[in-house]
Amino acid sequence: MIVSGSARSVRDYLSESTTEPLFVQGDALDVLSDFPDESIDFCMTSPPYWGQRDYAAQGMGQEATPQQYVENLASIFAEVHRVLKPTGSFWLNIGDAYASKRLLGIPWRVAIHLTDSQGWILRNDVVWNKVKGAPDNAKDKLRCIHEYVFHFVKRPIGYFYDVDAIRSSPGKTKVINGSIVSATGVSGIRYKRQIELSTALSENEKHEAFGALRDMLRDMELGRVSDFRMIIRGQQRATHSDVPSVSGRARELVQKGFYFLKYHPNGSKPGDVWDIVPEDTQNRGKHFAPYPEDLCKIPLLSTCPPDGIALDPFCGTGTTMFVAYTLGRKSIGIDTCEEYLRIASDRCHLLV
């Protein structure tokens, strides 16, 4: 459904049970000003980049200076902050730009402005590796094939986050010659040998280490952990830091002589570098910068509740809304361009 900017339509949609997206034509700042406070669970957007493209609707991205661009974006994201629930998340995909041979650092200018001036809390800076970016004929710099995706929240704890929804499937343990072996080949034999031969462990510490290793192998057999690594004093380095006052793991190594790195039985969570090809798989030729559907899936699955409402104030051809719809979430997309909104609406209607 496409409507002109209307508080009544938005408020009606918020109370309805339908998951069909609502598309609102209008300026994002004007439309958002009519949203009720704390009414949205999730926002993900990719605003027009500064000075990069000639979009169908002039305005955002056409400012005279990067500073004006940052200020204009910040005014809209202040409204996003107001309409987002305390449990909500805001994901921002934004690219950089050059001017007079200088890389401007626009993504970080925006991120720092939002954290310093609006109280947003930055939880992750994700590097979107586009794998095979566009050709670059410059002879005095590297080819750029990445963009940033920032994850912001309104409070440091208590926001919705379903990490199990985005875990990868763990490898399977197996039995080899009567021994339990993890998917990466860990059976405990090497660690037993290292404990036996250790000159850095006391006899009591060796006894404790053997018992803890037996318990860990049992947990792996029962599926309580999918894999593990054992760090033993004098055999492996403490991870991150070997200073006990800085690292709890280093402290364990000093006090007990060993510790374990446990791998979650439901699999590992994604890292902060995402390899996603920016292909226009929907043949959306009218829009020159649609982001890929895969870029939305981890944010939506992890930080938008199943009964939540998603928002994209610069929705373009509706990728955020399309993915939200496929995942059973309600969503509202805003854009000034009627043509883009019709493309977005048509995409979502293909699922009906």
Side-chain angles (χ1 to χ4, degrees):
M1 175 171 51
I2 303 175
V3 299
S4 299
S6 166
R8 182 176 179 276
S9 295
V10 169
R11 290 174 187 269
D12 286 348
Y13 179 78
L14 292 174
S15 63
E16 293 170 358
S17 59
T18 180
T19 58
E20 181 180 342
L22 173 68
F23 294 101
V24 184
Q25 184 182 0
D27 177 79
L29 193 60
D30 292 338
V31 176
L32 286 171
S33 66
D34 288 328
F35 277 51
D37 292 351
E38 299 182 355
S39 55
I40 298 297
D41 296 277
F42 169 93
C43 178
M44 182 167 186
T45 195
S46 182
Y49 297 171
W50 182 76
Q52 295 292 296
R53 300 175 177 90
D54 183 15
Y55 294 88
Q58 297 299 307
M60 185 65 67
Q62 307 299 316
E63 293 84 354
T65 66
Q67 291 79 8
Q68 291 175 353
Y69 173 71
V70 172
E71 289 293 335
N72 287 344
L73 275 183
S75 65
I76 293 169
F77 297 151
E79 281 296 294
V80 172
H81 191 280
R82 179 185 65 81
V83 306
L84 195 69
K85 294 177 183 177
T87 53
S89 284
F90 169 38
W91 295 77
L92 173 63
N93 166 230
I94 189 166
D96 216 332
Y98 279 87
S100 302
K101 304 286 283 188
R102 293 180 176 88
L103 183 62
L104 299 174
I106 285 176
W108 281 105
R109 291 182 189 228
V110 173
I112 291 170
H113 185 93
L114 296 186
T115 56
D116 288 356
S117 301
Q118 295 185 3
W120 289 104
I121 296 166
L122 181 60
R123 293 297 291 137
N124 273 117
D125 63 316
V126 175
V127 175
W128 170 22
N129 172 27
K130 296 188 281 189
V131 184
K132 55 171 188 176
D136 184 342
N137 295 322
K139 297 180 179 179
D140 56 357
K141 70 177 184 68
L142 300 176
R143 186 166 61 98
C144 180
I145 60 169
H146 81 281
E147 292 181 10
Y148 285 101
V149 181
F150 295 117
H151 176 206
F152 298 98
V153 294
K154 294 175 67 171
R155 62 188 191 186
I157 58 174
Y159 55 90
F160 178 84
Y161 204 100
D162 184 1
V163 69
D164 288 334
I166 55 174
R167 291 186 186 277
S168 59
S169 298
K172 300 297 184 181
T173 59
K174 48 189 175 292
V175 178
I176 300 178
N177 296 326
S179 297
I180 300 297
V181 180
S182 77
T184 59
V186 174
S187 66
I189 293 174
R190 177 168 63 95
Y191 296 133
K192 290 176 183 176
R193 188 66 174 162
Q194 289 176 349
I195 295 169
E196 288 173 354
L197 299 178
S198 173
T199 59
L201 298 178
S202 68
E203 289 303 314
N204 186 58
E205 287 173 334
K206 288 183 179 182
H207 176 76
E208 293 294 327
F210 278 129
L213 180 57
R214 282 194 301 271
D215 291 343
M216 183 59 64
L217 290 168
R218 178 66 174 165
D219 283 346
M220 191 169 68
E221 181 180 8
L222 295 175
R224 294 171 182 159
V225 297
S226 65
D227 210 338
F228 73 93
R229 298 293 181 272
M230 189 175 189
I231 311 300
I232 303 169
R233 186 196 303 144
Q235 298 291 335
Q236 295 87 11
R237 287 184 56 191
T239 50
H240 306 303
S241 173
D242 59 1
V243 181
S245 61
V246 173
S247 167
R249 290 172 175 170
R251 202 156 46 244
E252 271 195 283
L253 211 56
V254 170
Q255 294 172 353
K256 293 179 15 180
F258 66 91
Y259 67 86
F260 293 97
L261 299 175
K262 303 177 186 179
Y263 292 74
H264 198 281
N266 294 336
S268 60
K269 62 182 179 181
D272 58 6
V273 177
W274 300 350
D275 298 332
I276 301 173
V277 177
E279 296 291 353
D280 180 10
T281 56
Q282 300 298 322
N283 298 314
R284 301 185 295 280
K286 295 290 185 180
H287 193 290
F288 293 100
Y291 59 28
E293 294 165 19
D294 283 345
L295 201 66
C296 298
K297 290 179 180 176
I298 289 174
L300 271 161
L301 285 169
S302 60
T303 61
C304 185
D307 60 349
I309 302 173
L311 167 71
D312 187 342
F314 300 100
C315 74
T317 53
T319 299
T320 304
M321 285 50 256
F322 180 83
V323 176
Y325 193 26
T326 62
L327 296 176
R329 273 74 165 172
K330 293 166 66 75
S331 60
I332 303 173
I334 305 169
D335 207 280
T336 57
C337 179
E338 182 179 2
E339 184 177 19
Y340 290 168
L341 293 180
R342 294 208 176 278
I343 295 170
S345 181
D346 289 344
R347 287 177 69 194
C348 292
H349 281 132
L350 292 175
L351 299 176
V352 177

